[in-house]
């Protein structure tokens, strides 16, 4: 009995219309309708959500306000005295910042190439978006598929705005990545004879979505993590990087780490640095809830940017149409795409469908926002927000009883924990902030515009253009994690360690901020969000 | 339609706080003024960072759960288990086999299981933990892998085990052994990997990489979609 009496009353409408909706297909939008709803309602198109960046190498480029706030901020080291000439606390060949899938992959390949590697990560190793991915990972490893066909899907999905070299690397490495993971003992869904079970995902022209039940990211993350420990690689947890260190020639040379527990700063010197800090959902653009983990605060973007790395498509954000809206404990939680894939449809307060349930993520999200904001047809919630229904019980009618338990066990469990039985009661959903399409620009080896500084994973940009397809992110973090790890290791081999460590670039950035009057009193990276629930 | 939210009293490390009853334990700690560092990861039940123990007022029984997946209740006495030490055996996957002998070398403690079923009682994922430990003992790694799959490695089972077993690490080793040696390798994957490495797939993709956007868009729009 989690739904209030008022909600139960409204739910009756959904039940009333349900029989008349079974087997009926709601029309898809025309291309013009799609453009229209996107332009009017997608947060990426709402101009007052953005502003022009006043400082740094991409001065003048457009960023969401909340990200611009982080970019236009003072370093936490502004008033901190650090002795950069003292013996560093850590001294390695390859310093990897961030212990998610990208960081772990980079570590394994750099280590295999003979480098001395260290991972510094903000929370526990594996407390990361990678752990949360449910759906799957793409790779063209079937006979009717090829990297070229995959490439076309990636480019078309990304509105042809992808950097071709990066998209090429992504799809060509994909089968190698799956093989690497298979050899490492990752438990993919398979048939008796070992054939990987693969399905479609949004925007795929071949069935190439590999999965590990509905815990694909978790299975990949825990396997990678286990292997990193097996290899004896040094992992320092609760050590957030706050600034990249450069040497006297402007090359990356390490990072300043912040021990979250003792609140001390530590110096890590390194020949090469890989930023693998993930996404930025916890910046809550335009107040949106997020599906991201607690530490997704864009730290790597600002650190890299201050050091001179360029951004690309940093204003392109993916909203997932089906985020949990109620009960409040599930706010922002990702309701897997599979729910709609199976045929659950969004409904308004009258229990009527208002959009085809399998439009692309951006269009579906925009239509839901329109239904609530413009048309006033959303369901008002006791928490003060509005949402729409997602009719999950219809699945038990269309696919037979037991479908939800079989096909959506993680969802069933999560809603049950808070008193909603999605087999009998429809879900309440609203778009949730899900993924950062852009990031710091890299080349095919994960190298940024700054010498010896690499970026891999969700922090990197260019691979997916302005729209990433499901299953290509888990792929990219491993492809570019490994590429960055290998290249950094190779580079470190014939390089002496940095002689001098400096933070002059941070001081210069501060001067620029002051000249532009841009920072106010903000400090960034913010490292962790501050929630009060008031 | 905003309604009066009911408040409840909870006790964090013994101190009383009055919080809205709609909050999870994790949220309630933040409401009380904590900024969490340890004990908070995905906030969605996937990462196992937030294992928590609690007691209800006037109840002798110690209860456990994931702080992000459990709602507060009136009279809850709470403490987090931000870190519970657990041993992980190191191994080279290529040097071991899915055999009882090898497994017993890595995790000898699984043979000390007393069958008390404390692990099952605490598992927030409702896994039959004791059973997968039994499968590990017997070397039935396929079954151990299957039933342990939903483990989020929260460590609650470990915190209660009188035999000092580190269930989640044993299970992970079982799953890796199963996936590496018992499940068959994909029959086509190696061939595709070889073809890529030998450059056999280069020509087809380079034709696309060098094509202009107009051409690409055309190919994209006309591409055949597998049923
Ligand atoms: C709920 C959900 C479902 C998803 N489903 C899919 C899917 O089905 N398929 C798919 O392909 N993709 C999916 N994605 C996207 C994909 O999971 C992520 O984009 C990807 O895992 C990011 O990997 P990463 O290694 O770059 O970052 P993360 O995995 O987020 O790792 C980043 C790490 O860096 C650490 N860190 C952050 N800041 C600092 C700092 N200052 N210092 C040190 N460490 C720091 C973080 O704590 C974290 O451990 C999903 C994402 C979410 C959130
Ligand atoms: S098996 Fe143990 S570690 Fe895994 S989820 Fe259950 S209690 Fe947590
Ligand atoms: S708690 Fe330990 S001893 Fe008891 S059943 Fe579980 S594994 Fe065996
Ligand atoms: S914070 Fe990840 S399971 Fe609770």
């Amino acid at each position: 009995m989690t739904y209030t009496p008022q909600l139960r009353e409204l739910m009756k409408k959904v039940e009333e219309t349900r029989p008349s909706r079974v087997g009926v297909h709601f029309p898809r939008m025309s291309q013009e309708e799609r453009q229209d709803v996107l332009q009017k309602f997608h947060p990426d198109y709402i101009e007052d959500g953005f502003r022009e960046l006043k400082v740094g190498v991409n001065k003048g480029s457009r960023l969401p306000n909340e990200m611009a706030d982080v970019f236009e901020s003072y370093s936490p080291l502004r008033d901190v005295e650090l002795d950069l000439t003292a013996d560093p606390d850590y001294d390695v060949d390859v310093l990897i910042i961030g212990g998610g899938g990208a960081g772990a992959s980079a570590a394994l390949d750099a280590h295999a190439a003979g480098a001395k590697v260290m991972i510094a990560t903000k929370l526990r190793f594996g407390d990361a978006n990678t752990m949360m991915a449910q759906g799957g990972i793409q790779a063209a490893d079937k006979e009717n598929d090829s990297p070229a066909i995959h490439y076309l899907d990636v480019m078309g999905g990304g509105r042809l705005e992808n950097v071709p070299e990066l998209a090429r690397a992504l799809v060509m490495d994909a089968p190698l990545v799956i093989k690497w993971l298979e050899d490492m003992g990752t438990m993919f869904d398979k048939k008796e004879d070992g054939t990987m079970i693969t399905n479609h995902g949004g925007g795929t022209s071949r069935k190439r979505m590999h999965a590990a039940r509905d815990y694909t990211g978790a299975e990949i993350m825990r396997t990678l993590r286990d292997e990193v420990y097996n290899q004896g690689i040094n992992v320092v947890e609760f050590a957030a990087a706050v600034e990249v260190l450069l040497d006297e020639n402007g090359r990356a040379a390490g990072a300043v780490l912040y021990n979250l527990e003792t609140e001390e700063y530590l110096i890590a010197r390194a020949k090469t640095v890989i930023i693998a800090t993930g996404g930025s959902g916890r910046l809550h653009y335009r107040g949106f809830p997020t599906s991201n983990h607690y530490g997704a605060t864009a730290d790597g973007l600002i650190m890299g940017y201050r050091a001179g790395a360029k951004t690309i498509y940093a204003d392109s954000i993916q909203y997932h149409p089906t985020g949990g809206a109620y009960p409040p404990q599930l706010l922002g939680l990702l309701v897997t795409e599979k729910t709609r894939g199976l045929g659950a449809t969004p409904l308004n307060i009258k229990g009527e469908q208002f959009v085809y349930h399998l439009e692309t993520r951006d269009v579906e999200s925009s239509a839901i926002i329109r239904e609530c904001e413009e048309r006033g047809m959303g369901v008002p919630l006791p928490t003060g927000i509005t949402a729409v229904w997602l009719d999950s019980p219809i699945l038990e009618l269309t696919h037979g009883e037991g479908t939800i338990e079989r096909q959506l066990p993680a969802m069933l469990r999560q809603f049950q924990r808070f008193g909603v039985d999605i087999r009998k009661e429809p879900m309440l959903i609203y778009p949730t902030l899900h993924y950062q399409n852009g990031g710091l620009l890299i080349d095919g080896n994960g190298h940024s515009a700054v010498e010896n500084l690499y970026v891999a994973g969700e922090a990197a940009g260019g691979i997916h253009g302005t729209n990433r397809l499901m299953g290509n992110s888990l792929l990219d973090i491993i492809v570019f994690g490994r590429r960055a790890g290998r290249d950094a290791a190779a580079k470190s081999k014939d390089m002496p360690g940095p002689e001098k460590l400096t933070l002059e670039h941070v001081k210069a950035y501060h001067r620029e901020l002051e000249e532009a009057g841009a920072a106010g009193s903000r400090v960034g990276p913010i490292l962790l969000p501050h929630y009060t629930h008031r | 339609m905003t309604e009066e939210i009911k408040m409840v009293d909870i006790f964090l490390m013994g101190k009383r706080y009055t919080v809205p009853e709609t909050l999870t334990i994790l949220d309630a700690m933040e409401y009380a003024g904590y900024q969490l560092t340890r004990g908070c990861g995905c906030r969605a039940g996937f990462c196992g960072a937030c294992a928590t123990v609690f007691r209800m007022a006037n109840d002798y029984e110690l209860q456990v759960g994931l702080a992000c997946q459990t709602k507060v209740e009136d009279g809850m006495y709470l403490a987090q288990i931000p870190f519970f030490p657990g041993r992980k055996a190191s191994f080279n996957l290529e040097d071991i086999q899915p055999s009882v002998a090898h497994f017993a070398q890595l995790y000898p403690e699984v043979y000390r299981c007393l069958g008390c079923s404390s692990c099952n009682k605490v598992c927030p994922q409702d896994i039959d933990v004791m059973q997968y430990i039994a499968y590990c003992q017997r070397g039935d790694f396929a079954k151990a892998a299957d039933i342990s799959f939903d483990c989020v490695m929260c460590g609650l089972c470990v915190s209660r085990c009188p035999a000092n077993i580190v269930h989640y690490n044993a299970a992970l080793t079982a799953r890796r052994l199963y996936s590496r040696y018992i499940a068959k390798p994909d029959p086509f994957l190696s061939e595709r990997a070889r073809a890529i490495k030998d450059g056999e797939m280069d020509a087809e993709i380079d034709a696309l990489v060098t094509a202009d956007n107009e051409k690409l868009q055309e190919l994209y729009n006309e591409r055949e979609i597998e049923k």
Side-chain angles (χ1 to χ4, degrees):
Chain A
M1 277 295 278
T2 297
Y3 286 161
T4 57
Q6 289 91 327
L7 286 173
R8 298 206 156 266
E9 211 34 55
L10 291 171
M11 202 168 88
K12 286 192 187 144
K13 300 248 169 61
V14 176
E15 286 162 358
E16 273 164 29
T17 59
R18 189 173 294 136
S20 66
R21 284 184 282 109
V22 173
V24 176
H25 274 279
F26 195 88
R28 288 172 192 250
M29 284 188 210
S30 68
Q31 205 50 39
E32 293 74 56
E33 285 171 315
R34 287 194 187 118
Q35 269 314 317
D36 183 61
V37 73
L38 279 176
Q39 247 142 36
K40 291 200 185 123
F41 297 97
H42 194 283
D44 275 8
Y45 295 82
I46 313 291
E47 278 312 320
D48 68 2
F50 294 84
R51 70 170 190 257
E52 272 185 15
L53 192 55
K54 295 202 191 77
V55 292
V57 279
N58 287 102
K59 194 154 117 183
S61 69
R62 178 183 183 259
L63 287 189
N65 288 323
E66 297 79 358
M67 191 187 278
D69 282 350
V70 174
F71 274 56
E72 293 171 352
S73 71
Y74 291 111
S75 168
L77 300 177
R78 183 156 78 143
D79 300 316
V80 177
E81 284 294 321
L82 287 175
D83 183 3
L84 298 177
T85 59
D87 272 348
D89 299 280
Y90 305 98
D91 200 1
V92 295
D93 295 336
V94 182
L95 170 67
I96 295 164
I97 304 174
S105 307
L108 286 172
D109 271 33
H111 174 83
K116 182 175 175 197
V117 179
M118 160 181 169
I119 298 178
T121 194
K122 184 159 66 181
L123 301 164
R124 294 184 319 169
F125 186 16
D127 290 350
N129 279 355
T130 305
M131 198 59 113
M132 308 179 75
Q134 304 167 29
I137 175 167
Q138 291 198 40
D141 58 6
K142 290 278 152 64
E143 269 175 285
N144 73 343
D145 198 0
S146 74
I149 300 175
H150 190 180
Y151 181 82
L152 208 50
D153 287 347
V154 173
M155 295 296 290
R159 306 188 179 105
L160 302 184
E161 290 170 317
N162 325 48
V163 177
E165 177 199 6
L166 301 180
R168 184 190 193 280
L170 178 79
V171 300
M172 288 295 265
D173 279 12
L176 311 179
V177 158
I178 300 294
K179 175 98 177 61
W180 188 63
L181 291 172
E182 185 190 57
D183 288 345
M184 209 184 285
T186 308
M187 200 163 141
F188 285 113
D189 296 345
K190 286 182 169 186
K191 295 186 189 151
E192 271 301 305
D193 71 348
T195 304
M196 302 263 178
I197 298 172
T198 51
N199 284 303
H200 271 304
T204 56
S205 64
R206 294 291 184 278
K207 292 184 178 173
R208 71 168 83 84
M209 191 71 67
H210 304 61
R213 303 192 188 173
D214 46 4
Y215 286 101
T216 310
E219 173 61 6
I220 290 174
M221 187 70 239
R222 61 202 182 191
T223 305
L224 292 172
R225 178 172 60 190
D226 197 54
E227 193 53 28
V228 166
Y229 284 135
N230 277 350
Q231 297 297 330
I233 294 167
N234 188 19
V235 181
V236 185
E237 298 181 317
F238 298 96
V242 295
E243 221 60 81
V244 171
L245 288 162
L246 300 180
D247 71 5
E248 67 278 20
N249 298 313
R251 297 176 297 203
V256 179
L257 309 178
Y258 179 63
N259 181 331
L260 288 177
E261 283 158 332
T262 61
E263 303 186 353
E264 288 168 305
Y265 288 101
L266 302 165
I267 307 296
R269 183 167 70 183
K271 294 178 182 174
T272 52
V273 178
I274 302 178
I275 292 178
T277 49
S280 61
R282 293 278 157 192
L283 297 185
H284 296 289
Y285 305 122
R286 296 186 69 76
F288 271 85
T290 184
S291 63
N292 287 191
H293 84 116
Y294 184 48
T297 49
D299 302 353
L301 298 191
I302 174 60
M303 279 188 277
Y305 190 69
R306 278 195 193 121
K310 294 203 174 81
T311 58
I312 179 170
Y313 307 135
D315 57 345
S316 170
I317 308 294
Q318 188 166 81
Y319 292 80
H320 199 292
T322 57
Y326 194 85
Q329 303 83 17
L330 297 177
L331 186 64
L333 172 102
L334 186 72
V335 171
T336 174
E337 196 132 307
K338 205 168 159 192
T339 320
R340 279 183 306 136
L342 286 167
T345 48
L347 306 173
N348 62 22
I349 189 167
K350 291 186 171 163
E352 292 163 351
Q353 193 170 350
F354 54 90
V355 59
Y356 177 64
H357 62 294
L358 289 174
E359 296 286 356
T360 53
R361 285 181 180 177
D362 47 358
V363 172
E364 191 88 16
S365 297
S366 307
I368 294 171
I369 296 171
R370 175 175 67 189
E371 198 66 13
C372 293
E373 284 188 2
E374 189 193 51
R375 299 182 175 165
M377 296 289 274
V379 180
L381 303 179
T383 46
I385 56 174
T386 52
V388 299
W389 298 107
L390 184 65
D391 194 11
S392 46
I394 200 170
L395 300 178
E396 301 274 299
L397 288 181
T398 49
H399 296 269
E401 229 167 280
T403 301
I404 291 182
E405 190 168 358
R406 262 195 323 278
Q407 301 269 2
L408 300 165
M411 285 295 110
L412 178 63
R413 178 186 284 146
Q414 256 164 333
F415 277 80
Q416 240 161 7
R417 277 176 177 153
F418 299 110
V420 176
D421 184 344
I422 63 169
R423 292 170 297 194
K424 303 197 181 84
E425 299 158 319
M427 304 161 149
L428 281 161
I429 54 137
Y430 196 76
T432 186
L433 176 44
H434 189 52
Y435 182 78
Q436 174 183 288
N437 289 314
L440 298 175
L441 180 64
I442 54 171
D443 69 12
N445 284 321
H447 198 271
S448 76
V450 178
E451 194 62 31
N452 298 342
L453 182 65
Y454 296 77
V455 188
E458 199 170 330
I463 308 156
H464 308 287
T466 53
N467 181 41
R468 179 220 26 144
L469 301 183
M470 170 191 167
N472 279 340
S473 175
L474 279 179
L475 175 61
D476 101 53
I477 65 176
I478 302 177
V479 166
F480 290 97
R482 296 185 70 193
R483 281 174 171 247
R486 283 198 297 263
D487 202 64
K491 217 166 175 204
S492 311
K493 258 200 189 127
D494 6 81
M495 200 170 35
E499 279 180 20
K500 206 175 137 215
L501 302 177
T502 89
L503 284 167
E504 285 304 317
H505 62 290
V506 175
K507 289 192 189 137
Y509 195 86
H510 285 165
R511 282 194 295 276
E512 223 190 309
L513 281 170
E514 258 144 40
E515 278 157 25
S521 58
R522 287 187 299 268
V523 174
I526 63 168
L527 304 184
L528 292 173
H530 203 298
Y531 295 123
T532 59
H533 307 281
R534 306 250 169 188
Chain B
M1 189 155 147
T2 314
E3 287 164 21
E4 270 302 291
I5 291 174
K6 224 181 113 199
M7 305 295 279
V8 294
D9 283 345
I10 61 165
F11 300 82
L12 298 172
M13 328 287 165
K15 235 185 234 164
R16 190 180 74 184
Y17 298 89
T18 306
V19 306
E21 66 155 5
T22 50
L23 300 182
T24 63
I25 294 173
L26 207 70
D27 294 341
M29 293 185 73
E30 292 173 331
Y31 184 91
Y34 286 83
Q35 189 182 21
L36 302 168
T37 48
R38 282 204 181 257
C40 180
C42 66
R43 307 181 73 107
F46 285 93
C47 76
C50 63
T52 299
V53 290
F54 59 93
R55 238 183 255 280
M56 300 304 295
N58 307 323
D59 188 355
Y60 66 92
E61 203 174 340
L62 197 59
Q63 301 186 49
V64 296
L66 297 175
C68 73
Q69 298 292 300
T70 311
K71 251 171 67 164
V72 289
E73 285 173 56
D74 199 37
M76 236 181 197
Y77 282 77
L78 288 152
Q80 277 197 300
I81 320 181
F83 179 78
F84 197 88
R87 185 184 73 89
K88 181 191 131 44
S90 267
F91 55 88
N92 181 339
L93 191 61
E94 296 308 307
D95 293 345
I96 56 173
Q97 288 296 316
S99 69
V100 168
H102 280 167
F103 198 84
Q105 268 173 21
L106 297 175
Y107 289 103
E109 62 272 27
V110 296
Y111 292 96
R112 295 206 300 258
C113 171
L114 311 169
C116 69
S117 148
S118 298
C119 47
N120 286 17
K121 284 189 205 127
V122 296
C123 179
Q125 297 289 85
D126 302 322
I127 294 168
D128 192 345
V129 190
M130 181 168 79
Q131 185 63 52
Y132 80 60
I133 292 298
Y135 287 136
C136 285
Q137 291 174 345
R138 266 180 251 161
D140 192 341
F141 300 112
K143 289 219 177 81
D146 181 43
I147 69 167
S148 72
F149 188 82
D150 286 0
C151 170
V152 294
M153 305 183 78
C154 68
L156 280 168
C157 47
V158 181
S159 76
R160 306 307 294 279
C161 179
N164 295 318
I165 295 170
V166 182
H167 316 68
Y168 57 83
N169 279 336
L172 179 52
T173 303
R175 286 196 301 276
R176 291 189 65 189
L177 281 170
Y178 164 76
S179 310
R180 172 69 184 85
Y181 293 108
I182 301 171
K184 295 203 177 73
D186 184 281
F188 183 67
L189 186 56
S190 295
E191 164 52 22
R192 176 53 52 85
R194 186 204 57 74
I196 290 173
K197 282 188 187 145
D198 291 350
E200 287 170 21
M201 326 270 334
D202 285 350
E204 191 192 0
I205 195 163
D206 287 334
L208 294 180
V209 172
T210 51
D212 60 29
N213 277 359
E214 210 175 316
K215 179 77 193 155
L216 271 183
Q217 190 65 53
E218 191 186 312
L219 288 170
Y220 179 72
N221 294 343
E222 286 165 8
R223 78 205 199 287
E224 183 196 323
I225 301 201
E226 180 181 0
K227 282 270 157 27

